[in-house]
Each structure stands twice: as C-alpha cells, then as structure tokens.
Amino acid sequence: MSTRLNPDSLRARVVGLDALLLTSLLWLLAKFLRYLFPPLFATLQESYGVSNATVGAAFTGLMLAYAAMQFPSGALADRVGSVRVVVAGALVAAAGAAVVAVAGPFPVLVGGMLLVGLGTGAHKTVAIGLLSKVYPARTGRALGVLDTLGAFGGVVAPAAVVVVGVGAGTGLVAAAGLGSVLGGVAAGYDWRSVFLVGAGAGVLLAGLFAWRVPGRVEGEDERGGTGTLALGTYAPLFRERRFLLFVLVTVLFSIAYNGAVAFLPLYLTRAVGLSPSVANLVYAALFLVSLVQTVTGDLSDRVGKLPMIVATLSLSAAGLGASLVVRDPLVVAAVVVLFGVGSHGFRPVRGAYLTDVIPDDVAGGTLGIVRTLLMGAGALAPAVVGVVSDAVDFGAAFSLLFVAIAGAAAVAALLLVRPRERSRRGPSS
C-alpha cells in the first residue's frame, strides 16, 4: 500500500524553513558583495589609476569595518532583538552597494565599500544566535546550511564579473562559444550594474526577512535584553595560555586566507600567467569546494577536533605553498582547490572547538571577541599584500601568507601533542 504525503505537513515543513532560507540568502548576498571586489581589482586600477597598495588598502578598510561589527552587533541584538539588527545590516549593505554602483571619485567608491563592510558585518554573529533560537533541536544542521549556502556568494561573484566581461567581448565563456548567449544578456552592462542588482536584492531580502522571521521567533528573547559591552567579563579565559595559542592559530589562518582571497585573481594572472577569465573561474572553484564543511564537521566528531584542525590547516598550507612553484594551469587549479578544501574544512571544526572550550555563560561575548580579533587581523592582510606586491612582487607577498598558514598548522600541532585540558562543557556531542 502506497504512503500518501500529507499536504498540510509538507507545507508546514516548507514554511518552517523560511527563517533558515532568508538568513542564508542574506549571508550569501553579504559574501557576494564582499567578494565582488577582488576580481575587479584590475578593472578598478585601470578605471581610477590606482596601485595595488591603494585597492588593497580600500579592501582592508571594508574588512576592518566588517570586523569592527562582530562584537557590537551581538551586544546590540541582546538589546533590540536579532531581527532588527539583521534587517538594519542588510539595508546598510544595500546602501553601500548602491553607492559603489554610482560612485564617481575613488573616495566615494571607498565610502560605499565601507558601508558594505559595516552592513555585512552585522549579520553572521547575530544570525548564529537567531537560528539557534528558531531551530534549537537542529542548530548544527541549520548553521551548516548557513555556511555552505553563504560560501556560494564567493562562487557567484567572480562568475558575475565574467558574465559582464562577456558584454565587452572578453572572457573564457566567449572563447568557449557561449558568448553569443551570455553576451546578449550582458551587453550594455558593466561591473557597476552588478552592484546595483545586489543593492536591490538586499532591500528585497531585508523586507522579506522583516515580514516572515519575527513570527518565527515569537516567545523568544526578541524584546531586548541586558547585554553588556564590558570586555572585562570575558578577560579570564584570555589569560589561559592554551586558549591564547588557539586564538593565535585562528588569527594566523585569517591573515593567510584573507590575504590570498583578496589578491588571488591578480596573483594568478600576473605571477602565474593565467588569463583573467581562467583566473576568475579558478577563484570561483576556491569557494565551490566549501561543501567540504559538512564532511570535516562530521569527521571531527569521530576522530577529534584538534586532529582535524591540524589536517585541514596542513592541506591549506600545502595548497598555498604549491601555488608558489607550479605554473601549469590545471595544476594551479588543483592546488588552489587543495587550499580551498583545507581552508573551508577548517572553519566548522574551529567553531566546534571554540564552542567546546568556552564556558556557556560567556560564550556569545567571547566568540564575538575572537571573531573581532581574527577578522581584524585578516582585514590587514590585503593591505600588506598590496604593499609587498608593489615593493617586491606577488611571489614575495604570497610567500608571507604561506608562512602565516604554515605557522597556524605548526601551533595547532603543538596543541595536539601537548596534554589536553578537560573540556569545560564535558564531552562534545
């Protein structure tokens, strides 16, 4: 006898995913807007007559604005509610994208970039808390969907740059015979139109989020609370040597990853010799492999978090190090993918490790501080890469990034071989 699906039950399941879908789409848009800039560095240099150091410093400003919002956004959500913070952040990011789309002078463009950083920086920390309220029994799965779907913003961004490039008669897609199709779509548009579309999408998603999600957290603490900005509350844990060493691991990783991601398209074209379109496709592949996050998260529960941290960081270091010496396009693509597998694979395990060692009563604020530190340090990396690449070359700049990621792997290995401290929360589930 066949089993019939209950339409009402199916409808309830679909409706029940609205908060997860909208939160994840806003995260995808946030990463899309941020990662539109690196593939456009060469275009911005030509349009505005600026150097690697200048575009790197501008992107560093965006990332510093993003980093600066991590702790304050969480504390603000405690006071006024997470929905309001997420909606406000989306609208600020949309305004920044609109400014970039119409910017004339370069300082105006930088102003738009800073707004994008501030707006997108208000999302992730708050989204984690919101989803844990809406899906208390499925928080891990919900956060996995959030991170995986969000990572595809980095896939779509360089692809969008390639598509608008087709309109100008360039790009690998045109060479592959698809130019007649996509060229007609992209004709008459340039990179500014992509930001304009992003701004419109941000306003639309913010409106849908404000309409649908408040009802999904009814009964939760959305009326505002008594969150505090007192950093002294979280100081004791940062006096512990083992915890500080792991913070160092996350900071070194963030420096290497953010520096590489910001300049990878230019590095692949100017130092490795790939064409711009091929470089952008390889750049997209770096984000496409983010699906590995679900695998490494599951493996960390079976073999342990620190062993997986050492393994993923070692893969990341191997990929970045190999990119310094290989030149064949297929091999370059393979080592960039290896770097991506290690880097994306590290992230969920990092979060699981921090959740395991941070006491529950200071978890939110401590995570906010750690994210501020790692994002702040990572935000400086593009400026350093820009300066070193101008003064020496991209090879020297990416060699520094390799030293950072190799250092992260070495410190993690040191934590692995030293006696482990008992978890503050008991065995991880």
Side-chain angles (χ1 to χ4, degrees):
M1 183 176 64
S2 62
T3 301
R4 288 188 174 183
L5 291 176
N6 185 334
D8 293 333
S9 176
L10 181 60
R11 187 180 301 110
R13 287 186 180 185
V14 173
V15 171
L17 295 176
D18 55 358
L20 175 59
L21 179 62
L22 289 170
T23 304
S24 299
L25 286 176
L26 278 170
W27 185 227
L28 185 154
L29 179 63
K31 301 197 88 169
F32 172 78
L33 291 176
R34 281 194 285 136
Y35 289 124
L36 271 175
F37 290 103
L40 289 170
F41 276 2
T43 300
L44 295 177
Q45 287 176 333
E46 294 175 3
S47 300
Y48 290 97
V50 293
S51 65
N52 287 334
T54 301
V55 293
F59 193 68
T60 285
L62 183 156
M63 295 303 294
L64 284 174
Y66 174 85
M69 287 301 297
Q70 301 304 305
F71 181 70
S73 64
L76 187 61
D78 290 336
R79 287 178 166 81
V80 303
S82 53
V83 171
R84 293 186 180 93
V85 175
V86 169
V87 170
L91 292 176
V92 171
V99 170
V100 171
V102 301
F106 188 72
V108 177
L109 178 79
V110 174
M113 293 175 68
L114 293 177
L115 286 176
V116 169
L118 290 171
T120 57
H123 188 80
K124 181 66 179 290
T125 300
V126 180
I128 292 173
L130 185 146
L131 291 178
S132 69
K133 295 176 185 177
V134 179
Y135 307 101
R138 296 173 291 164
T139 299
R141 182 181 301 177
L143 295 181
V145 172
L146 174 73
D147 283 334
T148 301
L149 188 58
F152 276 87
V155 178
V156 178
V161 173
V162 170
V163 169
V164 295
V166 172
T170 63
L172 179 67
V173 180
L178 297 177
S180 59
V181 177
L182 293 179
V185 176
Y189 297 92
D190 62 10
W191 60 271
R192 294 178 183 274
S193 62
V194 181
F195 284 96
L196 196 59
V197 171
V203 173
L204 175 62
L205 288 173
L208 290 173
F209 193 92
W211 172 46
R212 295 294 308 175
V213 178
R216 301 287 288 115
V217 290
E218 185 177 356
E220 301 290 339
D221 185 19
E222 282 295 308
R223 296 187 299 272
T226 58
T228 177
L229 286 171
L231 296 178
T233 305
Y234 312 100
L237 190 59
F238 287 88
R239 298 191 186 105
E240 297 184 8
R241 182 179 180 184
R242 190 173 179 86
F243 184 75
L244 282 177
L245 284 174
F246 189 75
V247 172
L248 176 62
V249 169
T250 67
V251 167
L252 289 173
F253 166 78
S254 184
I255 290 171
Y257 181 78
N258 283 283
V261 166
F263 276 96
L264 187 61
L266 274 183
Y267 172 70
L268 293 176
T269 55
R270 297 184 181 178
V272 179
L274 300 185
S275 69
S277 294
V278 172
N280 282 337
L281 291 176
V282 172
Y283 187 67
L286 173 68
F287 296 95
L288 188 61
V289 295
S290 63
L291 291 171
V292 75
Q293 292 176 118
T294 57
V295 177
T296 56
D298 288 339
L299 284 176
S300 70
D301 291 331
R302 300 179 185 180
V303 304
K305 297 176 179 61
L306 277 177
M308 282 303 302
I309 285 170
V310 173
T312 52
L313 288 175
S314 297
L315 284 177
S316 185
L320 189 57
S323 73
L324 296 172
V325 295
V326 300
R327 290 297 178 264
D328 180 87
L330 290 178
V331 179
V332 169
V335 298
V336 169
V337 166
L338 184 65
F339 172 69
V341 168
S343 298
H344 290 294
F346 168 71
R347 290 182 170 187
V349 190
R350 173 187 62 189
Y353 180 85
L354 287 169
T355 302
D356 198 38
V357 300
I358 298 174
D360 289 334
D361 57 346
V362 292
T366 303
L367 284 172
I369 294 171
V370 172
R371 281 182 58 82
T372 300
L373 290 172
L374 68 93
M375 293 306 303
L380 297 174
V384 173
V385 173
V387 170
V388 174
S389 63
D390 282 341
V392 187
D393 56 29
F394 272 112
F398 270 64
S399 294
L400 291 177
L401 300 180
F402 168 70
V403 170
I405 193 67
V411 175
L414 177 64
L415 289 173
L416 179 61
V417 299
R418 290 173 65 90
R420 302 183 186 183
E421 296 177 358
R422 184 177 301 224
S423 171
R424 295 172 175 270
R425 302 180 57 189
S428 59
S429 59

